[in-house]
Amino acid sequence: MASSILLLNLRGEVLIYRSYRDDVSRTEVSQFCTQVVAAKEASERPIVTLNGVHYIHISQNSITLVAASASNVNTAMIIQFLYKLIDLFKAYFGGDFNEVLIRKNYVLIYELLDEIIDFGLPQITEPEVLKQFITQGGIKKDMKDEQIIGALIQATGATSWRPEGIKYKRNEVYIDVIENVNVLMSSKGTVLRSDATGQIMVKSQLSFMPECKFGMNDKLAMASETQSLDKGISIDDIKFHQCVRLGKFDKDRAITFIPPDGVFELMTYRVTENINLPFKLMPIYQEYGNAKIEISLKVKSMFDRNLFATNVVIKIPTPRNTGKCNIFVVSGKAKYEPEQSAIMWRIRRFPGDSEYSMRGSVNLVATSSEKAWSKPPISIDFQVPMFTASGLRIRFLRVIEKSNYKPIKWIRYITKAGSYQHRI
């Protein structure tokens, strides 16, 4: 795989350098640092070849992680490993990753790199396993034989992400379906583009070694159930956590897994068909020469009346030469914010199946510029609990464990605005 692993800052300075094979020299690596990173060309190409050496790299928080190799390697696997490396460092650094933390934890980082890579090949990358014998203070030297054996079994076993012997007085599992809806509408109100990207987060507080299984209203799963009236939804671009048993998902479209302990991302997905739009915007702009603009905007919530949206913020753009604004709203608060070049309309709670309106007049200041106003789109930000724009639903959730305990199950939904815009 990788002959060496490097961590570089924006200036191309080497913060961490670990060599695993002798086919790539330090001199060759320095060429990449000066010609690519220091020259600000690293963001253009994730794979760079210099003098027969391949440099596969990613960037995060002004840090460039590089894997160098002189052989023909699986670049997708290396990129996946580099992202896994960032997750591992964040797990040790309290969720952050930057140059200051790297300089403070030189010894820890080298110990981790020695443990997770052997002769350029990845070995153990699970933070919970590594934390059993590598801590912020270094390698644990007072581990008992039983602890060492347990850590090795977990690292090399079928479920390296979950240790044995976990026990809770109260067994609970939380599943959160979080979606971001992206919409672009024309000035006439027709949908030009819409999709929903989602993630399913799980918080597991379950004892021992449980097996969880849940099903969604996936179109392929619903098609196999002839008695179901629900045709289901078409789910694209599914990406699973390593704990999911892919063979069973391919067979019956149910997601079966032994969960890691704590909070983790079970899967991500995207839906592009039959998106349920949470809000409909109806703007009217009337321009009176270069002196005045009158704005009328109606916002209608399209979800059920027993639901509500929170923290709704509507950004209504105005020209940069805006002077005085007279604004009237029925609900919420609206005011002109010069730094945003827009009227910001904020509504703390927006009930379902409701319509609110805003009217305003904008007086423009005379300017010598002849450049026409670009008319950027109206955008809206919001959160709608217990609603999914894709229509995704979890149909069942089962937890099976040898001790037959009955856990408490929680399933929650929330839809947030991604890029939700209406042209004017």
Side-chain angles (χ1 to χ4, degrees):
M1 184 190 165
S3 300
S4 56
I5 297 291
L6 300 91
L7 274 67
L8 313 173
N9 62 15
L10 281 175
R11 298 180 296 276
E13 297 174 347
V14 178
L15 303 176
I16 298 291
Y17 175 80
R18 181 66 175 89
S19 178
Y20 299 97
R21 300 183 182 185
D22 56 5
D23 55 348
V24 178
S25 67
R26 184 71 180 258
T27 304
E28 291 173 313
V29 168
S30 64
Q31 293 179 355
F32 173 81
C33 299
T34 56
Q35 296 181 25
V36 179
V37 179
K40 312 298 182 187
E41 296 180 2
S43 60
E44 297 180 1
R45 294 173 293 166
I47 304 169
V48 177
T49 302
L50 296 173
N51 299 326
V53 180
H54 310 294
Y55 301 93
I56 300 112
H57 60 92
I58 62 173
S59 296
Q60 176 111 9
N61 294 346
S62 302
I63 300 296
T64 301
L65 288 83
V66 187
S69 177
S71 57
N72 186 13
V73 294
N74 186 335
T75 55
M77 181 178 69
I78 292 180
I79 290 174
Q80 178 74 20
F81 171 74
L82 292 176
Y83 279 110
K84 191 72 176 178
L85 203 57
I86 292 175
D87 293 338
L88 176 62
F89 291 149
K90 285 183 176 181
Y92 270 90
F93 301 159
D96 203 358
F97 176 69
N98 54 49
E99 183 175 348
V100 175
L101 289 171
I102 292 172
R103 293 186 181 277
K104 285 184 178 180
N105 294 276
Y106 273 126
V107 176
L108 173 63
I109 291 173
Y110 276 110
E111 287 175 354
L112 288 171
L113 291 177
D114 286 342
E115 193 65 42
I116 65 178
I117 303 175
D118 186 14
F119 197 57
L121 299 172
Q123 303 295 312
I124 307 168
T125 58
E126 291 299 324
E128 298 306 318
V129 177
L130 292 165
K131 285 182 178 180
Q132 294 185 39
F133 51 92
I134 298 180
T135 65
Q136 298 282 38
I139 297 177
K140 289 184 179 179
K141 298 181 180 179
D142 57 346
M143 290 182 70
K144 298 179 180 179
D145 291 343
E146 295 82 1
Q147 292 176 306
I148 296 174
I149 293 172
L152 291 174
I153 291 174
Q154 184 184 349
T156 58
T159 56
S160 62
W161 55 86
R162 184 179 181 90
E164 296 276 357
I166 297 175
K167 191 171 183 180
Y168 288 96
K169 291 183 179 179
R170 180 186 174 104
N171 291 287
E172 295 179 302
V173 58
Y174 300 82
I175 294 183
D176 291 332
V177 180
I178 304 168
E179 288 191 351
N180 287 277
V181 58
N182 306 296
V183 177
L184 177 62
M185 303 186 74
S186 71
S187 58
K188 296 180 179 180
T190 56
V191 178
L192 301 176
R193 184 183 70 246
S194 65
D195 68 79
T197 58
Q199 62 175 168
I200 296 182
M201 300 294 298
V202 177
K203 181 180 180 181
S204 171
Q205 295 179 334
L206 300 172
S207 302
F208 310 122
M209 197 66 69
E211 181 178 87
C212 300
K213 182 177 182 179
F214 75 81
M216 305 175 292
N217 57 335
D218 179 16
K219 181 182 289 187
L220 296 178
M222 304 301 288
S224 62
E225 299 181 10
T226 56
Q227 297 179 353
S228 176
L229 298 176
D230 187 357
K231 294 183 179 179
I233 63 172
S234 179
I235 306 176
D236 305 318
D237 302 337
I238 300 176
K239 178 184 175 184
F240 289 116
H241 186 276
Q242 69 182 86
C243 67
V244 175
R245 297 181 178 177
L246 299 180
K248 289 192 174 183
F249 178 75
D250 291 337
K251 183 179 179 181
D252 57 13
R253 303 296 288 186
I255 299 173
T256 306
F257 60 99
I258 296 175
D261 189 42
V263 180
F264 67 99
E265 182 184 80
L266 180 67
M267 65 174 280
T268 59
Y269 62 91
R270 187 166 66 97
V271 176
T272 57
E273 298 178 3
N274 302 318
I275 301 298
N276 303 313
L277 303 185
F279 288 97
K280 181 179 180 181
L281 305 179
M282 294 164 280
I284 298 175
Y285 274 67
Q286 291 183 333
E287 298 185 45
Y288 297 90
N290 297 324
K292 185 179 180 181
I293 298 177
E294 288 190 353
I295 303 172
S296 173
L297 175 63
K298 293 181 180 179
V299 182
K300 181 175 176 57
S301 54
M302 308 298 289
F303 43 88
D304 292 341
R305 64 177 59 191
N306 59 333
L307 303 178
F308 60 89
T310 60
N311 302 322
V312 178
V313 180
I314 306 166
K315 183 179 180 181
I316 306 156
T318 62
R320 290 190 177 275
N321 60 326
T322 295
K324 184 180 179 181
C325 293
N326 297 311
I327 307 167
F328 174 78
V329 293
V330 175
S331 180
K333 297 180 179 180
K335 67 175 183 177
Y336 172 68
E337 297 184 5
E339 64 275 9
Q340 299 282 349
S341 292
I343 297 171
M344 305 299 292
W345 183 13
R346 293 178 171 85
I347 305 171
R348 184 173 297 178
R349 182 185 174 97
F350 202 127
D353 194 23
S354 302
E355 182 177 295
Y356 291 150
S357 61
M358 190 248 5
R359 298 194 312 272
S361 62
V362 178
N363 296 318
L364 304 179
V365 178
T367 176
S368 59
S369 175
E370 297 181 359
K371 187 176 180 181
W373 181 40
S374 60
K375 294 184 179 180
I378 297 172
S379 61
I380 180 171
D381 190 25
F382 56 82
Q383 293 185 3
V384 187
M386 302 311 295
F387 172 83
T388 55
S390 66
L392 184 139
R393 287 287 181 272
I394 294 179
R395 297 162 50 227
F396 64 85
L397 171 61
R398 304 187 188 114
V399 179
I400 304 168
E401 214 287 323
K402 292 180 181 179
S403 59
N404 291 323
Y405 59 73
K406 301 297 181 184
I408 300 172
K409 307 167 190 174
W410 305 87
I411 299 175
R412 300 176 293 193
Y413 304 90
I414 188 169
T415 292
K416 303 177 181 180
S419 174
Y420 204 105
Q421 298 180 334
H422 193 296
R423 290 177 176 172
I424 58 177

